C-alpha cells in the first residue's frame, strides 16, 4: 500500500529538498531553453531537441573517457558541433519547406530524432555510460550540495545570462526577438528572416548540446535519455509558455520542485504522474502557459 | 539530334496520355473498390506465396510472416489514427494511450477474471473511447489546437505510462507474461485469440485492418467526412457555416481511439509479454502515426501502403546489413524524403511520375488547365471539392499536406 511521508518535516530536510529542487530545476530549465527559443521564432516544435542533448552527452563522453581530457572541454565543443548541426538541418530541410508548413516541419524534426538516436546507438551502443568525474559534495549546515549539480547550475546560469544579454543588448539579438514578435513586420523593416532562422535554430541546437553536456555531470546516460528529457522540456516550455525564456526558467524550477518534493512524499515514480497532471491542468486552463502572453522570447 | 528530341516528345506525349488515363480512371466510381479488392486479394495470398522466387531468392527471405503481422498491426493503428489526424487535421501525438489501453485491458481481464480476450478487446476499446472523450472534451472545449493539441495528447499518453509503471497490481514497470488460453478456459484458436503459429495471427490482423479500413472509408464518404475535411481545411470557416466543429472533432477522436485499441489488443495477443514502456512509450506514438504520414495523410490506402513499405524496407535493410539500428535510420530517412519530396505520401507516386513526364507535353498543348492528380483522394468523384482536398490545405496542424512550393509565396 501507499506509504506516505509525514507532511511536516524538519527545517533541515525541507532546506535540503529545496536546494535539490533548485539544482534539478535549473537543469530542466536549461534543457528547455533552446526548445522555447526555436518555437518562439519559428513556431516549430522541435522533437529533435532530445536527440541534440544526446549528441552533447556523447561529445563530453568522448572528450572525457576516450581522450581522457577534462569533461569541461567537452562543453564548448558540444555547443559548437550542435550549432553546426542545427544550421545545417535548418538550411537543408526546414527552410526549403517554406513559411507555413508547420506540420511538415514537425515531422522533419521527428525524422531527425529517429536518425540521430539510431546513429548514436550504432556508434556508442546502448550501454549506459557514466563519467568518472570524482565529484563529491559540499555540506553547509546539514544541507549537502552535490558538486556535479552545482557546476551544472553555474554553467547553465552563466550561459543563460550570456544568451539573455545577446538577445537584449546586441543588434542581432534584437532582430531575433523582433522576428519572434512578428515575422512579417521583421522582414518589412529589413531583417533577413532566413538568416535569423539559421541563427536561431543553430542557437537552440547549441543550447540543447550544452544542456546534454551538463547532464553527464549529474547522472548516467544512454542514447534514450534524450527522450525522457524531451518530455520534461515539453512540459516545462508549455508550463512557462511556448516561446517565453522567463517562462522556461520558472517552469523548469517548478517542475524540478514538483519532482523533488513528489519523490520525497509519494511512493515510486508517482511524481511523474503529478507533473503531468499539473501540466494538463495548466494547458487546459491557460494554454499560453503560466508566464506566457503576447510578448515572447 | 532532332530524331532524339522527337522520340522524347513522343514518349512525353504517351506519358501524358497515361497520366490522363490514370487520373480519369482514378476518378471513376469503381476505382477505389477495384484497387481495394486488389490490395485485399494481394494481402490474402501474400503469406501463401512466400516460396515464390524473387530476384533469385525466395520472397520469404525478404519478408517473414512475423514482419507481415507487424506491418498489418501498425497499418491498423495508423488507419485509426488517420481518422482523427488525417481527416480532421487534429494532429495527435498521443495515440499510444489508446493503443496501450487496448493492449493492457484484455490481458489484465483474462489474467485476473478469466475473461475471453475478444470481450477484453471490446472493454479495452470502450475504455480507450472514454479516455478519448475526456481528452477531446477538455482540449476541444478549451480550444486547444495545433502544436498544443499534439502536446496535450502526448501528456495524456505519458500520464498512463507512469500510472501503469507505478501500479503494481497491473504488473508495474516490469509488466507480466501473457496468460495461456487455458487461463480463461479456451483452446488455442480463433476464439482464444491465441495461435501456435504466426500465419493465423496474420489473417486476424488482416480482418481487423479490413474492418477499420471500411469504417474509415464509410466515414470519409459520409457527410461526417465532409465536415471533418472542412474542419481540416479551415476550421473557422467550417464553424461559420454552421458545422458543430467540437462535436465532429470529438466524434473522430473517439472512433479513432476505439479502433486504435484494437491494434493494441492484437499487439498484446501476438507478443509474449507486456511492459508499460513498449505500449505507452514516446516512440509508440511515432510508430502509430508514421505509416499514415508516409503513405498519404487522409487517404484510406495510405496507412496500409505506408506501413508495408516502412516495415518491409526497414526489415530488409536490417537483414541485409545485420545492424539492428539501421532499421531506424531507414525509417527516418524514408520519412524525411517523403515529407520533403512528396508531402502527399506514397499513394501519389504513380500519378506524380506520370505527371512529371507529361508536363512539357501539356504546356505545348495548353488547352485547359488540368486539375491536380486525383489519385491522392478517394472521395466520391462527383464532388469537385474532394478532388482539391489533397492540394488545398494550409499548413496549419496538418502535416504532409499540400505541396510546400505552394506556400512559398
Amino acid at each position: 500500500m501507499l506509504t506516505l511521508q509525514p507532511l511536516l518535516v524538519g527545517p533541515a530536510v525541507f532546506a535540503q529538498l529545496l536546494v535539490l529542487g533548485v539544482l534539478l530545476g535549473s537543469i530542466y530549465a536549461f534543457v528547455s531553453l533552446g526548445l522555447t527559443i526555436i518555437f518562439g521564432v519559428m513556431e516549430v516544435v522541435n522533437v529533435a531537441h532530445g536527440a541534440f542533448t544526446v549528441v552533447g552527452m556523447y561529445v563530453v563522453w568522448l572528450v572525457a573517457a576516450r581522450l581522457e581530457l577534462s569533461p569541461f572541454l567537452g562543453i564548448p565543443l558540444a555547443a559548437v558541433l550542435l550549432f553546426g548541426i542545427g544550421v545545417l538541418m535548418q538550411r537543408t530541410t526546414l527552410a526549403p519547406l517554406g513559411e507555413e508548413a508547420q506540420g511538415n516541419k514537425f515531422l522533419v524534426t521527428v525524422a531527425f530524432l529517429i536518425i540521430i538516436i539510431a546513429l548514436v546507438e550504432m556508434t556508442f551502443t546502448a550501454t549506459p555510460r557514466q563519467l568518472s568525474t570524482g565529484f563529491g559534495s559540499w555540506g553547509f549546515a546539514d544541507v549537502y550540495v552535490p558538486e556535479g549539480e552545482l557546476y551544472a547550475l553555474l554553467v547553465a546560469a552563466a550561459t543563460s545570462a550570456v544568451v539573455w544579454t545577446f538577445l537584449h543588448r546586441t543588434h542581432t539579438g534584437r532582430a531575433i526577438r523582433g522576428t519572434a514578435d512578428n515575422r512579417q513586420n521583421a522582414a518589412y523593416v529589413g531583417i533577413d528572416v532566413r538568416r535569423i532562422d539559421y541563427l536561431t535554430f543553430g542557437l537552440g541546437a547549441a543550447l540543447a548540446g550544452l544542456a546534454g553536456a551538463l547532464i553527464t555531470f549529474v547522472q548516467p546516460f544512454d542514447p534514450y535519455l534524450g527522450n525522457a528529457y524531451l518530455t520534461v522540456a515539453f512540459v516545462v516550455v508549455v508550463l512557462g509558455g511556448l516561446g517565453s525564456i522567463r517562462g522556461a526558467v520558472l517552469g523548469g524550477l517548478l517542475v524540478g520542485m514538483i519532482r523533488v518534493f513528489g519523490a520525497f512524499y509519494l511512493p515510486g515514480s508517482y511524481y511523474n504522474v503529478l507533473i503531468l497532471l499539473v501540466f494538463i491542468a495548466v494547458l487546459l486552463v491557460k494554454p499560453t502557459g503560466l508566464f506566457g502572453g503576447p510578448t515572447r522570447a | 539530334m532532332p530524331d532524339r528530341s522527337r522520340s522524347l516528345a513522343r514518349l512525353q506525349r504517351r506519358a501524358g496520355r497515361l497520366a490522363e488515363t490514370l487520373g480519369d480512371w482514378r476518378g471513376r466510381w469503381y476505382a477505389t473498390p477495384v484497387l481495394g479488392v486488389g490490395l485485399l486479394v494481394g494481402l490474402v495470398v501474400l503469406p501463401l506465396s512466400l516460396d515464390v522466387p524473387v530476384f533469385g531468392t525466395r520472397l520469404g527471405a525478404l519478408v517473414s510472416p512475423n514482419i507481415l503481422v507487424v506491418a498489418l498491426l501498425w497499418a491498423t493503428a495508423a488507419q485509426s489514427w488517420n481518422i482523427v489526424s488525417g481527416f480532421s487535421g487534429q494532429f495527435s501525438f498521443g495515440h499510444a494511450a489508446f493503443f496501450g489501453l487496448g493492449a493492457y485491458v484484455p490481458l489484465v481481464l483474462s489474467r485476473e477474471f478469466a475473461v475471453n480476450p475478444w470481450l477484453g478487446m471490446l472493454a479495452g476499446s470502450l475504455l480507450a473511447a472514454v479516455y478519448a472523450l475526456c481528452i477531446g472534451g477538455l482540449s476541444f472545449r478549451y480550444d486547444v489546437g495545433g502544436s498544443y493539441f499534439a502536446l496535450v495528447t502526448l501528456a495524456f499518453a505519458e500520464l498512463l505510462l507512469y500510472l501503469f509503471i507505478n501500479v503494481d497490481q497491473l504488473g508495474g514497470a516490469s509488466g507480466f507474461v501473457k496468460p495461456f488460453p487455458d487461463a480463461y478456459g479456451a483452446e488455442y484458436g480463433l476464439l482464444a485469440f491465441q495461435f501456435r503459429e504466426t500465419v493465423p495471427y496474420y489473417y486476424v490482423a488482416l480482418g481487423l485492418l479490413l474492418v477499420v479500413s471500411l469504417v474509415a472509408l464509410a466515414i470519409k464518404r459520409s457527410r461526417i467526412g465532409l465536415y471533418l475535411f472542412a474542419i481540416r481545411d479551415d476550421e473557422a470557416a467550417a464553424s461559420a457555416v454552421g458545422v458543430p466543429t467540437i462535436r465532429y472533432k470529438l466524434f473522430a477522436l473517439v472512433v479513432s481511439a476505439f479502433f486504435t485499441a484494437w491494434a493494441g489488443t492484437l499487439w498484446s495477443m501476438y507478443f509474449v509479454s507486456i511492459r508499460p514502456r513498449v505500449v505507452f512509450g514516446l516512440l509508440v506514438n511515432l510508430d502509430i502515426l508514421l505509416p499514415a504520414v508516409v503513405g498519404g495523410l487522409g487517404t484510406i490506402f495510405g496507412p496500409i501502403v505506408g506501413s508495408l513499405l516502412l516495415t518491409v524496407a526497414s526489415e530488409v535493410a536490417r537483414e541485409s546489413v545485420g545492424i539492428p539500428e539501421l532499421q531506424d535510420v531507414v525509417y527516418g530517412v524514408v520519412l524525411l524524403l517523403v515529407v520533403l519530396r512528396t508531402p502527399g505520401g506514397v499513394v501519389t507516386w504513380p500519378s506524380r511520375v506520370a505527371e512529371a513526364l507529361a508536363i512539357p507535353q501539356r504546356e505545348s498543348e495548353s488547352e485547359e488547365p488540368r486539375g491536380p492528380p486525383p489519385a491522392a483522394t478517394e472521395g466520391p468523384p462527383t464532388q469537385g471539392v474532394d478532388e482539391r482536398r489533397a492540394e488545398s490545405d494550409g499548413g496549419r496542424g496538418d502535416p504532409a499536406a499540400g505541396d510546400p512550393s505552394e506556400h512559398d509565396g
Side-chain angles (χ1 to χ4, degrees):
Chain A
M1 275 321 287
L2 302 182
T3 46
L4 299 178
Q5 295 284 337
L7 204 58
L8 285 171
V9 291
V13 176
F14 189 76
Q16 178 70 71
L17 291 177
L18 215 56
V19 166
L20 290 179
V22 169
L23 290 172
L24 187 64
S26 68
I27 290 176
Y28 285 174
F30 197 57
V31 172
S32 319
L33 202 57
L35 194 67
T36 207
I37 289 178
I38 289 176
F39 186 88
V41 172
M42 307 167 56
E43 304 210 349
V44 174
V45 176
N46 177 24
V47 180
H49 196 78
F52 291 166
T53 61
V54 171
V55 175
M57 293 174 204
Y58 280 90
V59 168
V60 173
W61 190 77
L62 265 183
V63 169
R66 290 269 172 90
L67 303 179
E68 296 181 355
L69 298 169
S70 162
F72 288 97
L73 279 178
I75 298 176
L77 203 61
V80 171
L81 177 70
L82 277 148
F83 184 84
I85 293 179
V87 171
L88 202 69
M89 181 173 154
Q90 167 69 18
R91 183 148 207 150
T92 53
T93 57
L94 291 173
L97 283 175
E99 279 289 313
E100 295 200 17
Q102 302 308 348
N104 287 339
K105 290 184 178 173
F106 174 83
L107 290 170
V108 166
T109 66
V110 167
F112 272 93
L113 168 82
I114 298 172
I115 296 171
I116 292 175
I117 297 288
L119 289 178
V120 168
E121 205 188 324
M122 264 159 88
T123 321
F124 296 100
T125 76
T127 320
R129 310 280 186 186
Q130 184 157 25
L131 286 193
S132 45
T133 51
F135 288 150
S137 64
W138 284 307
F140 302 98
D142 288 346
V143 176
Y144 91 104
V145 180
E147 209 177 331
E149 264 95 337
L150 191 65
Y151 292 147
L153 170 72
L154 291 178
V155 176
T159 315
S160 306
V162 170
V163 170
W164 193 90
T165 315
F166 168 68
L167 288 178
H168 286 80
R169 292 283 179 270
T170 67
H171 185 77
T172 316
R174 290 200 188 95
I176 289 179
R177 287 193 300 134
T179 312
D181 275 349
N182 191 322
R183 293 180 70 84
Q184 218 160 19
N185 289 1
Y188 288 153
V189 299
I191 294 172
D192 184 350
V193 175
R194 278 167 60 90
R195 206 182 121 250
I196 293 296
D197 281 350
Y198 296 147
L199 199 60
T200 310
F201 210 85
L203 180 67
L207 286 171
L210 262 174
L214 294 181
I215 289 170
T216 60
F217 286 20
V218 175
Q219 67 171 112
F221 50 94
D222 60 34
Y224 308 108
L225 187 61
N227 293 345
Y229 274 96
L230 178 68
T231 317
V232 170
F234 278 158
V235 171
V236 168
V237 295
V238 175
L239 272 183
L242 270 171
S244 153
I245 289 181
R246 198 176 46 134
V249 173
L250 295 172
L253 288 176
L254 181 65
V255 173
M257 289 293 173
I258 298 178
R259 170 153 183 169
V260 168
F261 279 88
F264 182 71
Y265 284 111
L266 300 173
S269 54
Y270 268 111
Y271 54 82
N272 279 321
V273 177
L274 190 65
I275 290 172
L276 288 163
L277 284 177
V278 171
F279 171 74
I280 290 166
V282 169
L283 201 50
L284 295 176
V285 177
K286 197 166 179 295
T288 51
L290 288 175
F291 312 100
T295 53
R296 288 212 228 95
Chain B
M1 279 304 283
D3 211 35
R4 271 187 68 181
S5 72
R6 204 178 307 143
S7 69
L8 187 68
R10 204 182 309 136
L11 195 70
Q12 279 168 345
R13 223 172 9 252
R14 209 169 288 161
R17 239 174 284 136
L18 183 69
E20 269 178 49
T21 326
L22 209 65
D24 287 348
W25 187 83
R26 195 66 191 83
R28 299 275 163 78
W29 65 268
Y30 53 78
T32 297
V34 166
L35 279 179
V37 170
L39 186 63
L40 182 64
V41 170
L43 288 174
V44 166
V45 299
L46 191 53
L48 307 175
S49 50
L50 290 182
D51 285 326
V52 174
V54 200
F55 306 126
T57 172
R58 288 170 56 243
L59 185 61
L62 296 176
V63 289
S64 61
N66 174 41
I67 283 307
L68 291 176
V69 175
V70 173
L72 291 198
L73 191 157
W74 293 119
T76 310
Q79 188 74 279
S80 316
W81 177 85
N82 205 22
I83 294 175
V84 61
S85 299
F87 291 3
S88 78
Q90 307 300 306
F91 195 89
S92 161
F93 197 43
H95 262 52
F98 316 130
F99 185 84
L101 284 176
Y104 255 100
V105 169
L107 281 197
V108 171
L109 287 181
S110 63
R111 193 176 73 141
E112 304 285 332
F113 307 105
V115 174
N116 185 287
W118 289 102
L119 286 177
M121 180 169 101
L122 188 65
S125 21
L126 285 175
L127 194 62
V130 170
Y131 198 57
L133 203 62
C134 297
I135 301 176
L138 285 168
S139 15
F140 297 145
R141 191 67 59 192
Y142 286 102
D143 206 20
V144 174
S147 311
Y148 285 101
F149 181 71
L151 293 178
V152 173
T153 48
L154 175 64
F156 274 98
E158 295 276 307
L159 188 66
L160 285 189
L161 168 69
Y162 288 113
L163 214 57
F164 275 77
I165 283 180
N166 280 292
V167 178
D168 291 334
Q169 287 83 350
L170 296 172
S174 50
F176 57 89
V177 177
K178 175 176 67 176
F180 290 107
D182 53 12
Y184 42 91
E187 289 289 316
Y188 279 98
L190 187 61
L191 192 65
F193 211 137
Q194 289 202 54
F195 310 93
R196 293 182 195 277
E197 282 152 18
T198 308
V199 173
Y201 279 109
Y202 175 85
Y203 286 107
V204 171
L206 189 58
L208 295 181
L209 176 61
L210 181 66
V211 173
V212 177
S213 301
L214 289 177
V215 169
L217 186 65
I219 291 178
K220 184 170 178 170
R221 294 220 161 161
S222 69
R223 179 180 290 271
I224 301 172
L226 210 58
Y227 287 161
L228 290 177
F229 277 91
I231 291 171
R232 167 181 121 165
D233 288 344
D234 191 336
E235 189 167 345
S239 179
V241 296
V243 177
T245 54
I246 292 181
R247 199 181 306 162
Y248 281 98
K249 284 193 288 186
L250 206 53
F251 171 81
L253 184 61
V254 168
V255 172
S256 172
F258 186 88
F259 290 113
T260 307
W262 282 18
T265 304
L266 183 65
W267 189 97
S268 64
M269 298 318 291
Y270 181 60
F271 291 104
V272 177
S273 66
I274 192 167
R275 276 184 303 131
R277 287 241 174 245
V278 294
V279 291
F280 286 114
L282 183 73
L283 298 180
V284 180
N285 296 305
L286 293 178
D287 287 331
I288 294 173
L289 68 88
L290 286 188
V293 169
V294 168
L297 211 63
T299 68
I300 305 295
F301 291 118
I304 305 169
V305 176
S307 182
L308 286 170
L309 179 81
L310 278 176
T311 325
V312 172
S314 56
E315 179 65 13
V316 168
R318 193 178 67 159
E319 287 288 313
S320 54
V321 185
I323 306 172
E325 291 83 18
L326 203 66
Q327 190 178 7
D328 288 345
V329 176
V330 170
Y331 229 80
V333 169
V334 169
L335 174 66
L336 198 60
L337 288 179
V338 167
V339 172
L340 291 179
R341 293 286 159 218
T342 48
V346 173
V347 289
T348 61
W349 283 1
S351 58
R352 279 180 76 103
V353 170
E355 289 250 319
L357 289 171
I359 283 169
Q361 178 247 349
R362 193 178 309 143
E363 274 169 357
S364 63
E365 286 182 6
S366 70
E367 290 164 22
E368 49 181 329
R370 275 186 56 81
T377 67
E378 281 133 40
T382 43
Q383 288 161 351
V385 189
D386 205 37
E387 301 236 320
R388 242 160 279 126
R389 267 179 201 164
E391 305 266 318
S392 66
D393 331 281
R396 296 176 306 108
D398 187 6
D403 193 329
S405 60
E406 287 185 350
H407 304 301
D408 269 348

